[in-house]
Amino acid sequence: MSLTRSLVHLVRDKHITEADFEWASLFVLDTLACALGALKTEPARILATVAPPARGDTGRRAFYLGGLCHILEMDDLHRDSVTHPGCVVIPAAWAVAEEHDLRGRAFLKAVLAGYEACCRVGMAVGKAHYRVWHNTSTCGPFGSAMAAAELLGLTGDQAVWALGNAGTQSSGLWEFLASGAMSKHLHTARGAESGVLAAQLAREGFTGPERILEGEKGFFAGFCRDPVPAAVTAAPEQSWQLTRTSIKPWPCCRHTHPAIDAAIGLHSELGGAEIARVTVGAYQAALDVCDRPQPEDPYSAKFSLQHCVAIALKDGRVDQASFDAASRSRMAGERPKVALSVAPGVDSAYPRSWGAEITVETADGRKLHASRREAKGDPENPVGPEELSVKARALLLDGGMAAGEANALIGKILALPTDIPVRDLELFAPGRAGEAAPPLARSA
């Protein structure tokens, strides 16, 4: 049996508990709040101008929402696969469920299935893949296709075809980081749309390659120098991968979060003392992506360990304002004090554990140390429902939503396990994003 067919069987054989449905609703809340919170940004304006989704164009609606989800760098992260599954899977599932007027539990079941497929393929690509390829973009289409396949009621063969044609659409390179380009938002937009398209085609009998993963000219052969094919179907008895996914408390690359968490912990100990030197021990992948000593724009600052650690130590917090021009200027003299290196113990634990070690030397001769094996938001140190609601509310208000409407939307999303219609969410109802209706509503 092919890996793809085995993956479909594994996903469809997994038991779903009420707790799983509730967890899924929390991740839906987090992802949709990240999307709606980005509506006032320039990338969102461009997405809406070039690709305004019309009601009835399910793939394009998934594209638009998928692009929005990843703009603020606040969406979830699955450590073992190094993917952001929510920003690809949830837009695809929402677009299909909304188009076909499906209900909450079917939607949440599809979300669980999509996370499972995306994360399991991501765990199989090997560490080298991430050095060039953006795992969310390459592995995400498998998740969006699996979610759409569940909602469209595809047979086993059709689901295999959908995953096969999702895999052949995989793409997404890290080169955008060199200039701080907007490509990352296109990665998630395409990842969501590709899976929807693949599932729709499969429903009509459009075949796809069954051995897309392990075939001689398949995904592993083309994209992976050190694949681990067995990871696709390993430990089927594990809890759903969604429940093993982290939620972000800070609006920057997840690789910076363990160091931010440790630095915030040291802030009060410093008591405002002048910092002479900071050493950060991390894993190699964090340095590959986030060694940026002189970020020149907000986006590159979000991928700078030097900036994130410096401002966390100085301010004791990290928020959207931490990356603006004023904050970057304020940290210009602090970032050079931050030295990065690979810590062997931290590196060997990655990707199972995303950790960091920080030592701060003060001008008056003190040495302070902190380490994290799990950052705030990881399953071992989770963000609770109330904390997540606070995060979601702040994002929705930033996106232009009135407080009453934000509270109502949060309540509806958390009520999805009671099987309310997905259309009740009215994500892009006129006026929700401020004075003008957002692009999706205007085109509907």
Side-chain angles (χ1 to χ4, degrees):
M1 186 183 297
S2 69
L3 280 176
T4 309
R5 191 172 294 275
S6 297
L7 177 59
V8 171
H9 283 308
L10 183 154
V11 171
R12 289 183 167 177
D13 287 345
K14 285 186 76 69
H15 176 64
I16 304 177
T17 67
E18 287 302 315
D20 294 327
F21 280 116
E22 291 171 9
W23 271 110
S25 70
L26 291 175
F27 279 86
V28 170
L29 172 61
D30 189 56
T31 299
L32 296 183
C34 288
L36 296 176
L39 280 171
K40 290 185 174 182
T41 64
E42 181 64 3
R45 182 196 67 77
I46 296 170
L47 285 169
T49 299
V50 175
R55 194 171 295 280
D57 187 345
T58 313
R60 188 45 54 92
R61 289 165 82 77
F63 176 95
Y64 178 69
L65 186 59
L68 290 180
C69 288
H70 210 38
I71 290 173
L72 297 180
E73 290 292 336
M74 287 291 282
D75 50 306
D76 61 30
L77 185 282
H78 183 267
R79 291 171 298 179
D80 289 349
S81 62
V82 202
T83 61
H84 301 271
C87 60
V88 178
V89 171
I90 289 171
W94 169 80
V96 175
E98 192 228 26
E99 177 65 24
H100 293 274
D101 197 15
L102 301 177
R103 303 186 77 88
R105 289 175 77 84
F107 169 58
L108 296 175
K109 180 179 178 181
V111 167
L112 285 161
Y115 271 67
E116 198 73 15
C118 170
C119 296
R120 284 183 169 276
V121 172
M123 289 188 288
V125 298
K127 287 187 177 182
H129 180 84
Y130 189 70
R131 294 172 188 164
V132 176
W133 299 99
H134 182 201
N135 291 19
T136 302
S137 189
T138 55
C139 307
F142 292 96
S144 56
M146 191 71 235
E150 296 304 274
L151 291 165
L152 294 175
L154 299 192
T155 66
D157 284 340
Q158 290 171 332
V160 169
W161 298 340
L163 293 181
N165 283 327
T168 208
Q169 296 178 78
S170 293
S171 62
L173 296 161
W174 277 112
E175 182 59 25
F176 71 88
L177 273 178
S179 60
M182 298 179 184
S183 307
K184 201 162 186 253
H185 320 319
L186 179 63
H187 291 180
T188 55
R190 279 292 190 201
E193 181 185 44
S194 295
V196 171
L197 178 62
Q200 290 173 324
L201 289 168
R203 183 178 57 174
E204 301 302 318
F206 196 94
T207 61
E210 174 153 345
R211 292 171 56 82
I212 188 64
L213 291 171
E214 74 272 31
E216 183 180 350
K217 296 184 178 180
F219 184 83
F220 292 149
F223 289 170
C224 308
R225 295 207 303 269
D226 55 351
V228 188
V232 175
T233 55
E237 74 286 352
Q238 273 187 342
S239 59
W240 287 92
Q241 296 302 321
L242 179 144
T243 68
R244 303 165 66 84
T245 301
S246 302
I247 287 175
K248 283 185 174 184
W250 301 296
C252 45
C253 179
R254 184 66 184 182
H255 290 307
T256 68
H257 283 209
I260 288 173
D261 200 358
I264 289 175
L266 290 176
H267 168 76
S268 60
E269 292 186 50
L270 281 167
E274 182 182 350
I275 294 172
R277 176 179 171 80
V278 181
T279 56
V280 178
Y283 47 90
Q284 184 63 54
L287 271 59
D288 290 343
V289 176
C290 296
D291 183 2
R292 301 180 184 281
Q294 295 299 333
E296 297 179 354
D297 54 73
Y299 203 66
S300 59
K302 292 184 176 190
F303 284 81
S304 168
L305 266 166
Q306 292 91 337
H307 180 82
C308 289
V309 168
I311 204 159
L313 287 169
K314 181 66 69 173
D315 295 350
R317 68 181 187 279
V318 172
D319 53 30
Q320 292 290 353
S322 301
F323 306 98
D324 62 20
S327 292
R328 296 196 308 277
S329 176
R330 186 161 55 91
M331 291 299 106
E334 298 300 312
R335 286 191 297 266
K337 299 176 183 178
V338 181
L340 309 182
S341 64
V342 173
V346 174
D347 189 55
S348 64
Y350 175 83
R352 297 181 308 279
S353 171
W354 292 34
E357 301 172 349
I358 294 183
T359 300
V360 178
E361 299 176 35
T362 64
D364 59 11
R366 287 186 295 153
K367 271 192 177 184
L368 307 175
H369 180 76
S371 64
R372 295 290 186 274
R373 288 296 177 264
E374 289 85 24
K376 180 65 175 176
D378 283 340
E380 301 85 355
N381 186 16
V383 172
E386 183 55 38
E387 292 173 292
L388 181 54
S389 293
V390 170
K391 173 189 172 181
R393 189 174 295 107
L395 287 168
L396 294 173
L397 295 179
D398 285 347
M401 191 176 291
E405 290 181 302
N407 291 336
L409 179 59
I410 291 169
K412 287 179 181 179
I413 293 172
L414 295 180
L416 285 167
T418 68
D419 218 25
I420 66 170
V422 171
R423 285 185 181 174
D424 281 3
L425 301 185
E426 298 180 298
L427 292 189
F428 298 97
R432 267 205 172 151
E435 294 182 5
L440 192 66
R442 290 199 296 269
S443 64

